Every structure is written in structure tokens, then in C-alpha cells.
Amino acid sequence: MTASTWLTLLTTFTLAVISPGPDFLATLRMTLSRGRSRGIATGIGIGTGTSLWAVGTMAGVVALISRSETAFFAVRLVGAVFLAGYGIRILASLMRARTEAPSKGTDEEPAPPSSEPYPTWKAFRLGFLTTTVGNPKAVIFFTTLFASMLPPSITVLEGGALTLVMVAISSCWFTVVALAASMPAFVRGYERLHKPIDAALGGLFVILGLALIPWGTLFT
């Protein structure tokens, strides 16, 4: 590939990565609720998931999925269920915390976010699943824009190098997001307002999931 092709591909990919989406929201909430290290693990999971999209595009798998109405419908439906399900779990945890909280008067301070140990692999898994099956940005980007920009003469070595650079870009960006969200000012704000913030983020995940459902195909 020429230098201009590399620059175009990586610039376009970087702009797609930094644009807000489910991956950004997942990293943000994980960092705020579980800490910096778990937020970084989520970001690395997102970067790792990117490799599947990149390799699948270069291998022609993504093109086959985009050309098959059944396969494309299945991918979108799985992603929609994942996003909506994650949002519902967030909202359900808020409801459980509200019903289980002891009633000690209306002047009681709200409980802080959970400080229970949270496995790193679960944070990684969330990031990986968010970008592989739960990210409409990835579906649109890799099945249309990236696939059309990829030169047909790309070699295996170039494809491997491109994949590694894309994984690095994605992982680094979401690590930056996790580091920013773990700053004391953000953490203090989340500790005060974690209930409305979680409610908003949970609602956004549900909305994104519902928006990803191919309703027209579903009822035809």
C-alpha cells in the first residue's frame, strides 16, 4: 500500500474510533463505577475486538455478511439485544439498589457506587463484545467505508500490520478515555450523581439497542 493509502485508512479509522458510541459509553461507565484499571481493560477489549472486524473485512467475511440479508439481519439483531440487555441490566441494578436500600429518612446521603471486586476479564469481555456485536458504528464502518477504501492488492503482511496499528489506536484512545474519567473531579461528581448518570447511560444503551434493530426486516 502507498503512504497516502495508509494515511487515508488510519485517519478515517481514527475519526470513527473517537466519535462517541456504545464503546465510549461502556468505557466511561466501567471507569466511573469500577475504577481506572477496569476502564482500561474495557478499552483493551474494544481494541482487541477491532481486530476481528479488520481481519474479517480483509478476508472478505464482512463483505459476505453485508451481502446476505439474513446474515446482516442476524448480526444487527444480536448487537441490538446485547446493547439493550446491557442497558436493562444497568437500570435493573439501580432498581434493586433502591428497593434493597434501608429506609432511614429522606435526608440520608445516596450510597456510593459499588466497591466490590470486579474481575478484569469481565471488563475486557464487555469491551470486546461491545465493539464486535454491539456497536452499530463498527457494522456501518467496516461493511461500507473501510471495505470500499481497502485496496484489493493488499498483502497478508500489510493486512497484519494495518490490523495491529488499528488495534493500538483503538486501545490507546479508550485508555485515554479511562484515564480522563478516573480523574478525581470526575470520580467525585460520579459519587454524588451516580444514580442519574447510570440511569442516563442505561437508557442510552437501551435506545441504541432499539435503534439497531432492523424493524423493517423484522416485520416483513
Side-chain angles (χ1 to χ4, degrees):
M1 293 192 298
T2 64
S4 61
T5 302
W6 275 94
L7 181 62
T8 302
L9 283 169
L10 294 178
T11 300
T12 305
F13 174 73
T14 301
L15 292 174
V17 166
I18 65 177
S19 61
D23 41 14
F24 177 86
L25 295 178
T27 305
L28 181 64
R29 183 177 186 273
M30 182 62 69
T31 304
L32 291 172
S33 62
R34 299 295 182 174
R36 178 188 302 172
S37 62
R38 300 306 183 263
I40 292 175
T42 302
I44 294 174
I46 292 169
T48 304
T50 300
S51 65
L52 291 186
W53 281 109
V55 172
T57 302
M58 286 179 270
V61 176
V62 172
L64 291 175
I65 293 175
S66 64
R67 292 170 187 166
S68 169
E69 290 186 7
T70 302
F72 192 64
F73 170 81
V75 169
R76 290 189 61 183
L77 190 59
V78 169
V81 171
F82 172 78
L83 285 179
Y86 182 56
I88 290 171
R89 286 197 300 273
I90 294 174
L91 298 175
S93 67
L94 288 174
M95 294 298 295
R96 284 196 302 270
R98 183 175 181 179
T99 56
E100 294 172 1
S103 56
K104 297 182 180 179
T106 56
D107 295 332
E108 184 181 3
E109 291 294 325
S114 174
S115 58
E116 296 179 1
Y118 191 83
T120 303
W121 69 267
K122 283 190 175 183
F124 177 89
R125 182 185 65 181
L126 174 65
F128 183 83
L129 292 176
T130 298
T131 200
T132 51
V133 300
N135 193 347
K137 284 196 314 177
V139 174
I140 296 170
F141 176 78
F142 283 101
T143 58
T144 55
L145 188 60
F146 185 74
S148 65
M149 295 171 60
L150 200 65
S153 58
I154 187 173
T155 65
V156 174
L157 184 61
E158 289 174 333
L162 180 62
T163 300
L164 289 176
V165 174
M166 292 170 69
V167 169
I169 290 173
S170 184
S171 298
C172 287
W173 167 249
F174 290 107
T175 295
V176 170
V177 172
L179 292 174
S182 63
M183 295 174 63
F186 279 91
V187 175
R188 287 195 298 270
Y190 181 71
E191 287 175 348
R192 290 195 304 270
L193 302 169
H194 70 277
K195 289 183 179 180
I197 290 175
D198 280 358
L201 291 176
L204 281 173
F205 275 109
V206 173
I207 291 171
L208 286 170
L210 294 176
L212 188 58
I213 295 176
W215 295 104
T217 305
L218 195 62
F219 293 106
T220 56

